[in-house]
Amino acid sequence: MNQEEVRQQIEKILNESHIGTMATIKNNKPHSRYMTFFHRDLTLFTPTDKHAEKTDELEANPYTHIIIGYEGDGFGDEFVEYQGKVTFNHSEELKKELWNDDMKLYFDGPEDPNYTLLEIQPIGIRLMNKKGNEPMELHLN
C-alpha cells in the first residue's frame, strides 16, 4: 500500500469512526478515556469541559495517544493509532460548527462558557491490524 492509499484509508476510518480512546498522563501514569473526535485534514478535535481533569493533565503534558476505528469484530479490524500534541482551541466559530445535540448531555449549547475544543496535531499516525498485516506508518512530512 502506498502512502496515498494509507492516508485515504486513515481518513476513511476517521470519517466513519468518531469514538476513540485518548490517553494523557496523570500522576506520571497513563490515563485513558473515551472521547468523541472530529477531524480536518488529519487534525483531530474533541469537545471537553474547561474544568475537566484532562485539561490539567494536558497543560502539564500536551502529548496524547489515541486509538480510533476499532469495530469490535476481533482480529482483522482496522483501526488508527494516533500520536499528537494538544492545544486548546476556543474558536467560537469552530465550536458552533462542530456542535451536535449529543453534547447537550455535558453543555448548555455551543455558547456554554465551559465548552472548549482540544485540537490535536498529528506527530505520528499508523494504520493498524488489517487482517494481520504489519502496521502502516503515514509519513507526515
Side-chain angles (χ1 to χ4, degrees), residues 57-100:
E57 294 164 9
L58 290 164
E59 285 173 352
N61 182 340
Y63 296 95
T64 187
H65 185 266
I66 295 164
I67 296 176
I68 190 167
Y70 184 72
E71 297 295 323
D73 292 332
F75 186 71
D77 277 3
E78 269 187 311
F79 62 97
V80 171
E81 279 191 357
Y82 186 105
Q83 294 178 347
K85 185 173 183 183
V86 180
T87 57
F88 296 89
N89 187 319
H90 306 294
S91 163
E92 296 299 323
E93 181 179 317
L94 189 57
K95 290 190 324 184
K96 286 179 186 174
E97 185 178 325
L98 296 180
W99 177 262
N100 67 61

Side-chain angles (χ1 to χ4, degrees), residues 119-132:
E119 180 174 331
I120 306 119
Q121 293 293 325
I123 294 170
I125 304 175
R126 295 193 316 165
L127 180 62
M128 301 295 293
N129 209 27
K130 180 63 175 178
K131 294 187 172 72

Side-chain angles (χ1 to χ4, degrees), residues 25-30 57:
I25 301 298
K26 179 179 180 180
N27 299 323
N28 291 322
K29 294 183 176 86
E57 294 164 9

Side-chain angles (χ1 to χ4, degrees), residues 10-141:
I10 288 169
E11 288 178 336
K12 179 181 184 291
I13 291 170
L14 295 178
N15 285 333
E16 294 174 357
S17 301
H18 298 284
I19 305 295
T21 61
M22 178 179 182
T24 57
I25 301 298
K26 179 179 180 180
N27 299 323
N28 291 322
K29 294 183 176 86
H31 183 215
S32 297
R33 80 270 294 150
Y34 286 105
M35 300 290 291
T36 302
F37 295 97
F38 308 94
H39 84 98
R40 291 228 173 100
D41 195 30
L42 300 178
T43 297
L44 295 178
F45 297 89
T46 185
T48 194
D49 189 300
K50 288 180 181 179
H51 305 291
E53 252 182 32
K54 76 181 94 37
T55 59
D56 292 336
E57 294 164 9
L58 290 164
E59 285 173 352
N61 182 340
Y63 296 95
T64 187
H65 185 266
I66 295 164
I67 296 176
I68 190 167
Y70 184 72
E71 297 295 323
D73 292 332
F75 186 71
D77 277 3
E78 269 187 311
F79 62 97
V80 171
E81 279 191 357
Y82 186 105
Q83 294 178 347
K85 185 173 183 183
V86 180
T87 57
F88 296 89
N89 187 319
H90 306 294
S91 163
E92 296 299 323
E93 181 179 317
L94 189 57
K95 290 190 324 184
K96 286 179 186 174
E97 185 178 325
L98 296 180
W99 177 262
N100 67 61
D101 285 342
D102 291 336
M103 294 181 198
K104 287 182 180 178
L105 292 168
Y106 307 101
F107 305 106
D108 293 333
E111 295 85 14
D112 188 319
N114 293 318
Y115 166 47
T116 194
L117 296 168
L118 302 179
E119 180 174 331
I120 306 119
Q121 293 293 325
I123 294 170
I125 304 175
R126 295 193 316 165
L127 180 62
M128 301 295 293
N129 209 27
K130 180 63 175 178
K131 294 187 172 72
N133 292 336
E134 291 294 316
M136 301 291 296
E137 185 87 25
L138 179 64
H139 302 281
L140 296 170
N141 292 332

